[in-house]
Amino acid sequence: MNIGYKNLNGWTKADHDSVFEFADSYKEFLNSGKSEREIIVAALEIAKNEGFVPLSEKASLTPGDKVYELNRNKGLMLAVIGKQHLSKGFNLVGAHVDSPRLDAKQNPLYEDGGIAFMKTHYYGGIKKYQWTTIPLCLSGLIIKKDGTHIHVCLGGEDDDFCFTISDLLPHLAGEQMGKTLGNGIEGESLNVIFAGIPFVEDDKEDVKKAVLILLRDNYGIEEEDFLSAELEFAPAFKAKDVGLDRSFIGSYAQDDRVCSYAALQAILGITIPEKTAICLLVDKEEIGSMGVTGMQSRFFENSVAEMINLSGDYSELLLRRAVSNSVCLSADVCAAYDPNYASAFEKQNTPFAGCGICIMKYTGARGKSGSSDASAELMSAIVRIMNDADVCWQTGELGKVDGGGGGTIAQYTANLDMDTIDAGVPVISMHSPFETVSKLDLYETYRAYTAFYKSNIER
Ligand code: MN
Ligand code: MN
């Protein structure tokens, strides 16, 4: 009898064909958008094709109904109504669709040295040096004075051009190379090369004017339209298999689209669950879950209220009971052990790529600060579900003690009086322009969320 604990490499017993097939569809999902808006459109499209309809179109809800509620095109709730009344609680998997990137400033365009640039303000936690000298694309929304919406999507890998940010040549970088990694590239120097052919008038060259003419003639955009726009620069490259055996996927924005996709696919496979199954895709996690589209917004509670109302007997108390009796998997990525930076981790309590979904009791920083710290009762209940479904899972924490830290939406769902635990995919090079995950972990995370949706934890 084996009474010791050792986490297993999941590849040894996985169905490789299923793992690879799932990974292929995931790569398509990643490639279907860069911004949170584009990825929500892609997720909604997939859900609609599987029969999800707007909550507002329903006169009543019965078990098995598939409904959705869109949050300002940046967030999405999908629900499959369960046999039990919502006030008995639901099973929620919550992931986020926003990712670190470079937002264009509100007044972004200028010219210097014969080049037109776009000024940016980075969004989320980035290592700035990673964002220079890579191909970038631009996506977002410009609303013209007459109210016309222009969805911008320029410079992606299928286009014959892209954008980029310069870095200093090593020959002249003596001073820069003496700086720390953190301040070698200044935030204010993350200016994107946007155009270079001048408009010539009275022997004067004007590249910015040429850009404005181009924007006006091709897109009907004026400079003032930038002031209200949301424009995001992201890495232009597509998702790709990594490794000779194609065991990994490399891509921008896998934090947290890898958990978002696993949660999405899991709920699509649910027919009539015991408890209502909910997949929630939120925005703004990378900057603190703020705002109307973040997890701290009332959007989610309001959507649950609408569902209770359509179940026939709304009251404030039933809403509170529904939330209070529910369980939430905070579906977010964690840091996989990286042998290149071994000293950042404590190997006995760190998730490994290829060892399955990581169930994390707590996140946080410096003494678990900012963590919701799930209970032993909840952790063991989730572990039982994983073991019963033969899911390959592991546990761990975010790096070594006092090495840094981070948080997820867990603290905000827990604040609603909902039992919450973190469970997601380990990532290598998190928050970089090209993050790496194991296909095995993606697939086991999908299986884990599926098992959770089918479960019935009594509080
Ligand atoms: Mn995340
Ligand atoms: Mn993140």
Side-chain angles (χ1 to χ4, degrees), residues 96 255-256 285-286 332-333:
H96 68 93
D255 173 10
D256 183 32
E285 192 279 338
E286 296 295 356
D332 207 343
V333 298

Side-chain angles (χ1 to χ4, degrees), residues 80-127:
V80 181
I81 306 303
K83 291 176 200 157
Q84 293 180 12
H85 191 269
L86 264 162
S87 60
K88 301 280 187 207
F90 45 80
N91 289 334
L92 170 66
V93 180
H96 68 93
V97 290
D98 61 316
S99 296
R101 59 180 190 248
L102 305 176
D103 286 344
K105 290 193 185 189
Q106 291 322 115
N107 186 8
L109 191 62
Y110 73 100
E111 174 183 347
D112 198 357
I115 300 174
F117 290 94
M118 291 281 265
K119 289 176 179 285
T120 67
H121 192 144
Y122 65 95
Y123 171 98
I126 63 165
K127 293 164 97 173

